[in-house]
Amino acid sequence: MDRRSYLKSVAGLAVAGTASFSVFKWFSIHRKVVPAEFSSKHELLAELAEMIIPQTDTPGAKAANVHEYIIAVMVDCTSVKEQNKFIDGIAELEEYAAREYGKEFLKCNPAERKAVLKQMAKNSSGYSYKILNKINNKIFGKPFFLKLRELTVEGYCQSRLGATQGLAYDYIPGTFEACIPIRPNQRSWATK
Amino acid sequence: MYISDKNKILHTYDAIVIGSGISGGWAAMELCKKGMKTLLLERGRDVKHLVDYPTANLNPWDFKAGMNNTIQDREANPVQSSAYSPADKHFYVSDAEHPYIQEKPFNWYRGYQVGGRSLTWGRQCYRLSDLDFEANHRDGTGVDWPIRYKDLEQWYSYAESFIGVSGNRENLGHLPDGEFLTPMELNCIEKHLGDSIRKNDEHRLLTIARVANLTRGWDNRGPCQNRNLCTRGCPFGGYFSSNSSTIPAAMATGNLTLRPFSIVTEILFDEQKQKARGVRVIDTLTSEVHEFYAKIVFVNASTIATAGLLLNSVSSRFPDGFGNGSGQIGHNLMDHHSSAGAYGVHDQFTDQYYKGRRPCGFLIPRYRNLHPGEKLNFKRGYNIQGHGERQEWMDKAQSIDGFGEDFKAGLTTPGPWTVWMAGWGECLPYFDNQVTPDPSKKDKWGQPLLKIDFTFRENEHKMMTDIEQTSARMLDQAGFKHIESFNYNKPGGSTIHEMGTARMGNDPKTSVLNKFNQMHEAKNVFITDGSCMTSSACQNPSLTYMALTARASQFAYEQLKKGEL
């Protein structure tokens, strides 16, 4: 496909995508969110974050209080549209757990929980055209799983436990050593 | 306003400097060191070195929502919040409080405080050369610079020797070497790219950035601790700012009076003597209006604000703005473009890493249009600035899939080496890229809002295309994979190198300042911030402002002694 017809087809898909976007959905993603909607998901978010970055030989997301970071960013730093996208994602996850296993997500066993989160990840994989994902993310906000994982990563890597134990943290390096042999099991620097 | 004779004496100085940023700090220091009682006016609050860097020692986990600005903050400050984070927000103005009019999108980033943007600058220090000073003359663009490299050479050395610049000598005619401290070191991917560039093109080279970060203790400051948290203010004095360097030096002479919270609204003109007699100021705390008087006035408010101040200073002699007989004030606004470049990933050197956070990247000096015979479809040139690193968590979160133990292991170990690089390109002086006050809209102090009308033109866009192509090619030749060239198409102002609204030139009919940064039409007024630039070259401009300021200060002092001012 040459560039022009590729761009045309992408534009066409984008229009089709927006056209199917109902008035109901517009109201639904612009409804006002109250901070309590996030706070009530405290435990669920802690579990989800821990599934993304689990305790291993270093602390996991739960010990690093990543759920509190997620809630802080969601409440203070996120647009209404993205907040709703996120809340809807949580609802979708809970509905899926109820439908598949007949119980709340938090009551599912580890294997069931993993299957549910995998399904959410699959739903987030998006279009195969990069540009469509960009358009889609712009109109509807980032897919739930990707937003959850992004915030989990940010929250964990910038937390005290995550930075100092999960990663390598060097507050005042003093010197800069430009090229040094990597050590066995070298962790990434927490800051750059 | 009425001022009694006694108060008039109290309000009289030898010199007034408007603005305390990079160039204003230098003017204040130079004049104070020459024994002149100097009043340094700053519209924002005071920021004292060490004392007023509240975030300098905070860890990442001390920020509740990381580096994310709040939604309310982003809505109130759409421009500034695109540059700051919670870690350095306190060194930027509020858009809500300090509005301006964007005739076309233009990011006017500002820091209204003592030290101005010298607290948050990128610290890159490059000399201009005769390739730059002769450029307008050679291709008939704008007006000719009234100076050449030999006029500024010693002043570059003087400025570098005071601030401390780390860098490597490269012996290039078009990017002269300076007085350098030990350079910072390139890492292995940067060395690899540099080797490839040298092998493939004899006219190009890759060197470490020349920065005002100290690789050893200097003038009771530093050395740099390689934290790379410079924009929070450095508790080690590891980099040059007015706050850590020029203002304390000025203060130490006993000749400096620093007055923060002082918006200069007008330069006052003495019709009989045909020169400036002082300035009018609004105190932002009390809203009181004061006048201050001096034998000479240095204007260092920063390019756009300087243009606004001059255009707002009208009198019967200057109905179109102070010293604006040429009609050039506010025109010829320039900003470098830095939107276009390329990115690539390299699969070798995985056994190599680094320690510490070097506060700068690399530089590939200008390699386009160095010789008159070159047949390119654009004038002038660009340099490439970039850095090499291994992918860390911020990058890997985007590039690895899944969740759980494997995801965590991938996230917390160093990824492949990458290089990001982009062109910092020259912007030509276009008469209709301009700043004008709009008297129909006022800020909370009753000052007309400034209207900025700026776009990059065909020459800049063609240059950006060339940058994309040559950057991607250099990465390709060095064996990089997944190369993506890009053009972010950032609006003007984004490089924060505003220049040119009160240009230097030989002819008072077509320029505002003479070769000593002295106003053609008011001999005791000197302008040495970015507004004086006749062309933009492609080098980061701050070092040139410092050299020009030191030179103009010396000239002003000598003229004053001779009774010429």
Side-chain angles (χ1 to χ4, degrees), chain B residues 401-509:
Chain B
D401 283 330
F403 59 89
E405 289 194 15
D406 290 349
F407 177 77
K408 183 185 180 188
L411 183 73
T412 53
T413 45
W417 287 94
T418 60
V419 162
W420 177 96
M421 58 196 217
W424 264 239
E426 178 157 2
C427 168
L428 297 175
Y430 301 103
F431 181 78
D432 48 354
N433 274 347
Q434 62 179 312
V435 182
T436 41
D438 183 344
S440 71
K441 300 193 179 73
K442 304 252 168 96
D443 68 12
K444 69 188 253 195
W445 296 280
Q447 296 305 298
L449 298 194
L450 295 180
K451 186 165 71 182
I452 303 174
D453 187 352
F454 178 96
T455 51
F456 291 118
R457 310 289 167 86
E458 194 186 351
N459 198 64
E460 289 77 33
H461 288 294
K462 282 180 173 163
M463 197 188 289
M464 290 179 211
T465 305
D466 192 69
I467 292 168
E468 280 196 57
Q469 288 166 352
T470 58
S471 307
R473 179 139 179 79
M474 284 186 274
L475 291 176
D476 184 46
Q477 286 173 329
F480 283 79
K481 311 266 166 64
H482 311 296
I483 297 166
E484 282 184 46
S485 67
F486 54 77
N487 187 346
Y488 304 144
N489 289 309
K490 290 180 288 189
S494 303
T495 313
I496 325 186
H497 291 173
E498 311 96 72
M499 291 171 268
T501 55
R503 68 187 179 190
M504 297 169 76
N506 289 311
D507 183 353
K509 289 197 193 71

Side-chain angles (χ1 to χ4, degrees), chain A residues 102-139:
Chain A
K103 50 192 167 188
E104 272 180 53
F105 178 81
L106 288 173
K107 298 225 164 71
C108 289
N109 68 36
E112 292 164 346
R113 287 184 192 183
K114 197 170 171 186
V116 174
L117 194 55
K118 263 196 168 157
Q119 181 61 32
M120 292 302 113
K122 204 173 139 204
N123 291 352
S124 286
S125 59
Y127 302 92
S128 51
Y129 288 125
K130 232 178 168 180
I131 188 164
L132 268 190
N133 282 325
K134 257 193 187 165
I135 295 168
N136 195 55
N137 292 352
K138 198 144 207 172
I139 301 174

Side-chain angles (χ1 to χ4, degrees), chain A residues 55-60 156 159-169 187-188 190, chain B residues 61 408 412:
Chain A
Q55 165 96 33
T56 51
D57 56 334
T58 59
Y156 179 77
S159 69
R160 192 174 57 80
L161 284 180
T164 60
Q165 295 182 38
L167 296 155
Y169 186 66
R187 292 189 201 286
S188 269
Chain B
W61 50 89
K408 183 185 180 188
T412 53

